[in-house]
Amino acid sequence: MKFSSAVSAAALGFASLSSAITVSYDTGYDDAGRSLNSVSCSDGSNGLITKHGWQTQGNVAGFPRIGGYQGIAGWNSPQCGTCYGITYNGKTVYVLAVDYTGSGFNLAKAAMDDLTNGQAAQLGRIEAQFQQVDVNRCGL
């Protein structure tokens, strides 16, 4: 009984480590000069301008591995600045969440190209695995 409980607990723990999610791209996140005032995680107590003093997307640690995440509810979300490992076909990239998106992740094209070995434009949208990771994976 104890063995099966331990196995069940381990399986549940591993299952929660990553989940499937849709991933797309938006070239707006590739613009290093774009003001952070144009994304949900601009200012406010959870904002990237407030926390890090960054003014443009190019200032963000790990740029261009940035994008929108469905878990960011909008301006000043507590999820602003969280880091995610996104895995596709065995390759993982780490992306900093800087904006809201309606579904899944919406990344810089360069980040999706990294993830898909240069096939972002050809694929358009993919299904990938993801998990939240420590922000040091995103350069913080």
Side-chain angles (χ1 to χ4, degrees):
M1 182 69 164
K2 287 183 180 181
F3 176 75
S4 70
S5 295
V7 170
S8 295
L12 288 173
F14 291 130
S16 67
L17 287 177
S18 69
S19 301
I21 200 161
T22 185
V23 181
S24 59
Y25 71 90
D26 179 339
T27 57
Y29 297 121
D30 292 279
D31 181 356
R34 184 168 131 180
S35 172
L36 284 178
N37 286 315
S38 63
V39 298
S40 299
C41 298
S42 55
D43 53 7
S45 60
N46 296 309
L48 302 176
I49 295 170
T50 305
K51 285 186 171 183
H52 303 287
W54 300 330
Q55 298 298 312
T56 66
Q57 291 180 157
N59 297 140
V60 175
F63 177 82
R65 290 185 173 188
I66 64 171
Y69 169 55
Q70 69 183 15
I72 293 179
W75 178 79
N76 199 34
S77 169
Q79 294 296 313
C80 286
T82 50
C83 181
Y84 297 89
I86 303 172
T87 303
Y88 177 74
N89 285 345
K91 183 171 185 178
T92 301
V93 298
Y94 298 97
V95 176
L96 193 71
V98 301
D99 203 6
Y100 161 82
T101 192
S103 179
F105 286 95
N106 195 18
L107 309 179
K109 183 176 182 290
M112 191 164 166
D113 272 334
D114 286 348
L115 183 61
T116 62
N117 295 315
Q119 297 180 347
Q122 178 184 348
L123 297 171
R125 180 177 298 275
I126 60 171
E127 292 296 317
Q129 299 294 312
F130 82 103
Q131 66 182 35
Q132 187 172 349
V133 297
D134 192 274
V135 293
N136 69 359
R137 295 284 183 114
C138 287
L140 295 175

